Amino acid sequence: MRVHIYPTAHELAEAAADYVATSIKNTKRPMTLGLAGGSTPRATYHRLAEAAVDWSQITLWLGDERWVPHDHSESNTRMVRESLADRVVARLVAPDTAFGEPGDAAAAYGRLLADVFFDGRPDVVILGIGDDGHTASLFPASGALEDDSGIYLANWVQEKGVWRLTASMTLLRSARELAFLVQGEDKARVLSEIIDDGLPHPAQRVASGANAVRWMLDEAAASKLRTIRR
Ligand code: 6PG
């Protein structure tokens, strides 16, 4: 587990974009890049769109999606399009949230992704964490956490009263590298529980079973870490 701490959210975004651009340049074959939703990665995606990389070899996909139309303000696909996908020639493969029921849409997206991944595994996946320790849309005590029926799942999130579509725990763990981008004081407690204490939050369970994990934090999010040397 590698932990990188940056003074500000802006510097975190710059470093994260540079890391992804370098990964793309170093991967001498078509590559997939899994993208987190939410607000943290938006600045990284904006900067990444300006990177001098060959986007024609890249397929972008979503680690999770809200069960809303793609033009909805809450849509991760919309956020990814606006900040990155509509600004580069990479291919974007997004869940179809207008397709039947959540379970059908998740299964259909999983079948699409299975044909996209190199050797059946994602390459680089960007993830965030919530202050409850969720990642992607693997929320605490939610059904998808223990569900291995497919690589992409519909997940009822009780505390929000919504459906989400999410990569499964197994799929995320199979990635060649996971990069968690975490910023802000509100994530400091849960981050310490994950990194210092190893509490089994969903994000910790994904990270502990993964191949290579990089934590990219701003100082505010890292402010409660006890076991990481600065
Ligand atoms: C989503 C996400 C989710 C996100 C965390 C952190 O759809 O919301 O993919 O897992 O990464 O909730 O969100 P923020 O970056 O907005 O704090």
Side-chain angles (χ1 to χ4, degrees), residues 35-41 63-66 74 76 127-132 134-139 160 164 181 183 186-187:
L35 299 174
S39 57
T40 298
D64 71 319
E65 182 55 289
R66 291 82 181 273
E74 286 291 301
N76 286 338
L127 292 170
I129 66 170
D131 61 9
D132 61 355
H134 80 263
T135 191
S137 283
L138 297 170
F139 283 80
K160 293 177 178 284
R164 291 282 190 96
L181 309 188
Q183 70 187 37
D186 61 323
K187 308 288 177 69

Side-chain angles (χ1 to χ4, degrees), residues 80-100:
V80 161
R81 295 191 70 115
E82 288 173 349
S83 56
L84 177 58
D86 286 355
R87 302 169 60 205
V88 297
V89 296
R91 176 188 176 207
L92 172 63
V93 176
D96 182 352
T97 53
F99 179 83

